[in-house]
Amino acid sequence: MSWEQFQILAANGIMWVAFACFIIVALRNGISLIQLLIAAWVFVTRVRPSEGARDLWHRYADLALPITVIAPAFNEELSIVQSTKALLALEYPEHEVIVVNDGSSDSTLDVLIEAFGMEETQRTQIAALQVTEVYRTFHSRRYPNLLVVDKENGRKADAANAGIGFARTPLVCIIDADSIIEPDGLLRAAEPFMYDDGRLVAVGGAIRIANGCTIRGGSLQKIGIADTMVPRFQVVEYLRAFLMNRVANAHMNTLMLISGAFGLFRRSTLVEMGGYRHDTVGEDLELVVRMHRHMRDQKRDYRIDFVPDIVCWTEAPAELDGLDNQRARWQQGALETLQRHRGMILNPRYGRIGLLAMPQIVLEDIFGPPAELLGYLVLPAAALLGLLDPMMAVAFFFVSVVFGCVLSLGTLALEEQQLRRTPNAKDLLRLGAAAVLENFGYRQINLWYRMAGIRRYFRNDTSWAAVPRVGLGKS
């Protein structure tokens, strides 16, 4: 091959790569726009105005199924007392709280014992779903509905399974120990079960970032916005994820993810499935995908629902140092789930889950990150070298960056119109600025973190780096 032929071949290759990047990013953002429109329609036509906790209590006290709230905890000494107090104070007719100390190396267990007057007790598991050893169980002298399980470290999925095994209620709520449920959040999340005809197996709820909020005694006292930009960017991300993506997917019966920070499940279904898998870093996504597969393989009619009201507040990484491990882990978990359930992709046997939902995950988590990151490099370079019409590079900038700003601002407007949980106009402007600025640096850094997750997947790296925390109400 001559040098001239090589140059022509390389130029054609660059153009095809640039074109593929443009198409993938445009398709992904086009789907996001459709989701935003569906979510807006759902809010306008289907979601009734929020009721107060007192109204919900009077309306559903006799219908509410007992719930066990399970909080896996690993090295959570900074926030575990506040989180547990919030769980005990939930406005719900009948609920038990099980905190599972997953072999913490800090003082998590000691802090719990001292703060709640715990003493050792004997409690038998109904189903042993965990693979590690349970050491001891404790009950509180002051709070009869509080149980603490101390076990060998096995990561969050194993800790959640241990808690499910000790639960004795029809419904279980799995949350992160660094999260705070709103006082009426459990009632709101449980409401779909009160109208259920037996088909509902899981419900997710909207989650917001607690960084910058005032939290005292385990309860949210005042909503605020963090002073630093990294948590603000994550507020915008969470709004897109919960008020756009999940509202739309739930409406289309294609909801594939219930956040590990808060999820409400029918306990019998979890036990039937064997609980969470222990061999994945993305246990929340894998569980819901497997739930769809399990129910459809058995040809059972079922529903997985989503409550757009905010039910939970969680602490987000305050710095990029904590964000990198989190996002790489999310990406790696998505790839593990896709590999494990690849037989569902484009399989008509699984209906809209196989034909719509699984291909969307493929687009988002396999093709999307490398295509966008590569596009930022290839298209401008190709335009400068004269290999590509400069308008193509401008168009890519529009569909990625400008379009991203539009989606974020649209979701922020949707939240303000329907939920109005941003405290004042100043904070709303700060979030609006974050919705624009995240597209100039933060978004690209996140793509790099996701590429790190892809590398970890192919290296079969199952190591787990804890996300640094400063404690709820201190960020």
Side-chain angles (χ1 to χ4, degrees):
M1 178 185 297
S2 66
W3 174 246
E4 289 77 11
Q5 290 175 320
F6 175 78
Q7 286 180 308
I8 294 172
L9 185 62
N12 288 334
I14 291 173
M15 285 190 293
W16 278 109
V17 168
F19 183 72
C21 292
F22 178 84
I23 293 298
I24 291 171
V25 173
L27 180 60
R28 187 186 63 183
N29 283 351
I31 292 173
S32 295
L33 177 60
I34 293 172
Q35 290 177 332
L36 178 60
L37 295 174
I38 292 174
W41 184 83
V42 169
F43 270 106
V44 170
T45 62
R46 298 294 180 89
V47 179
R48 56 176 171 73
S50 297
E51 296 178 285
R54 181 176 297 178
D55 293 331
L56 286 169
W57 186 278
H58 288 309
R59 191 173 180 182
Y60 298 125
D62 295 334
L63 298 174
L65 294 172
I67 292 175
T68 297
V69 181
I70 300 169
F74 175 74
N75 290 352
E76 301 284 355
E77 63 179 1
L78 291 173
S79 59
I80 192 63
V81 172
Q82 290 198 76
S83 298
T84 304
K85 285 180 179 178
L87 296 180
L88 291 169
L90 289 173
E91 296 168 349
Y92 196 80
E94 183 181 349
H95 79 287
E96 182 181 35
V97 175
I98 298 180
V99 179
V100 183
N101 177 49
D102 189 40
S104 297
S105 59
D106 66 357
S107 300
T108 297
L109 181 61
D110 295 333
V111 166
L112 283 167
I113 291 174
E114 181 180 354
F116 298 101
M118 310 299 299
E119 59 185 14
E120 194 166 344
T121 187
Q122 297 295 323
R123 175 83 169 254
T124 304
Q125 278 188 301
I126 297 175
L129 303 178
Q130 77 281 354
V131 297
T132 54
E133 180 183 357
V134 173
Y135 300 135
R136 297 172 293 173
T137 57
F138 301 83
H139 78 272
S140 172
R141 293 187 297 271
R142 297 196 293 270
Y143 301 91
N145 61 329
L146 174 61
L147 179 75
V148 171
V149 177
D150 182 32
K151 64 179 286 294
E152 179 185 359
N153 179 258
R155 297 184 179 177
K156 181 186 173 181
D158 193 65
N161 282 345
I164 294 167
F166 280 104
R168 286 164 164 75
T169 56
L171 302 179
V172 293
C173 175
I174 313 295
I175 73 158
D176 283 343
D178 59 352
S179 299
I180 287 183
I181 304 177
E182 293 216 330
D184 62 351
L186 209 54
L187 266 172
R188 294 189 184 282
E191 185 178 355
F193 281 100
M194 301 171 195
Y195 291 102
D196 180 36
D197 56 4
R199 297 184 302 139
L200 188 61
V201 294
V203 171
I207 297 170
R208 281 284 295 267
I209 300 296
N211 302 52
C213 297
T214 302
I215 296 171
R216 294 192 185 95
S219 63
L220 181 70
Q221 300 293 317
K222 182 181 178 182
I223 298 174
I225 303 296
D227 292 330
T228 56
M229 292 304 296
V230 172
R232 291 189 206 174
F233 291 146
Q234 291 173 84
V235 171
V236 176
E237 287 183 296
Y238 274 53
L239 287 175
R240 282 199 309 267
F242 290 101
L243 298 189
M244 182 181 76
N245 181 283
R246 292 180 200 176
V247 168
N249 283 340
H251 178 71
M252 298 293 293
N253 293 321
T254 57
L255 183 63
M256 302 300 285
L257 176 62
I258 290 177
S259 173
F262 180 93
L264 191 58
F265 303 91
R266 193 174 295 279
R267 180 184 175 277
S268 59
T269 303
L270 292 181
V271 173
E272 187 180 302
M273 294 169 52
Y276 290 87
R277 290 191 69 105
H278 310 84
D279 55 351
T280 178
V281 299
E283 68 280 340
D284 46 2
L285 174 64
E286 196 283 329
L287 178 74
V288 179
V289 173
R290 180 159 44 92
M291 190 173 287
H292 281 291
R293 186 171 192 169
H294 174 77
M295 301 302 284
R296 287 179 177 268
D297 281 345
Q298 295 194 356
K299 297 182 173 18
R300 289 160 60 181
D301 196 10
Y302 72 100
R303 288 192 304 120
I304 296 177
D305 209 345
F306 181 79
V307 176
D309 289 338
I310 298 168
V311 297
C312 181
W313 296 76
T314 189
E315 182 184 1
E319 304 293 341
L320 291 176
D321 287 344
L323 193 70
D324 57 353
N325 289 322
Q326 183 193 66
R327 299 310 165 89
R329 189 171 70 244
W330 289 358
Q331 179 69 32
Q332 182 182 0
L335 294 177
E336 289 174 353
T337 299
L338 287 171
Q339 192 278 331
R340 183 168 286 118
H341 299 287
R342 59 189 180 277
M344 298 175 65
I345 302 171
L346 296 177
N347 188 338
R349 174 181 177 181
Y350 297 100
R352 66 183 67 194
I353 300 301
L355 298 176
L356 293 177
M358 292 296 285
Q360 183 182 336
I361 298 177
V362 171
L363 179 65
E364 287 285 342
D365 293 301
I366 293 183
F367 296 116
E372 184 172 351
L373 192 60
L374 195 59
Y376 288 127
L377 302 174
V378 171
L379 272 86
L384 289 173
L385 294 172
L387 301 176
L388 194 69
D389 187 341
M391 290 306 298
M392 187 77 170
V394 173
F396 179 82
F397 177 83
F398 178 83
V399 300
S400 58
V401 175
V402 177
F403 205 77
C405 294
V406 171
L407 290 172
S408 296
L409 291 171
T411 309
L412 185 60
L414 187 63
E415 193 270 348
E416 177 62 18
Q417 177 65 31
Q418 298 297 327
L419 302 180
R420 297 186 178 179
R421 300 302 295 272
T422 304
N424 51 58
K426 179 181 177 181
D427 284 338
L428 186 62
L429 287 173
R430 294 163 79 186
L431 287 181
V436 174
L437 293 175
E438 68 157 340
N439 293 278
F440 300 91
Y442 176 81
R443 177 171 175 166
Q444 291 74 24
I445 291 172
N446 257 318
L447 289 171
W448 181 251
Y449 293 158
R450 295 182 70 178
M451 293 299 295
I454 294 174
R455 292 194 297 271
R456 286 178 49 150
Y457 167 75
F458 283 110
R459 292 201 305 262
N460 197 27
D461 181 359
T462 59
S463 60
W464 186 284
V467 177
R469 308 288 187 186
V470 298
L472 285 164
K474 300 177 184 178
S475 50

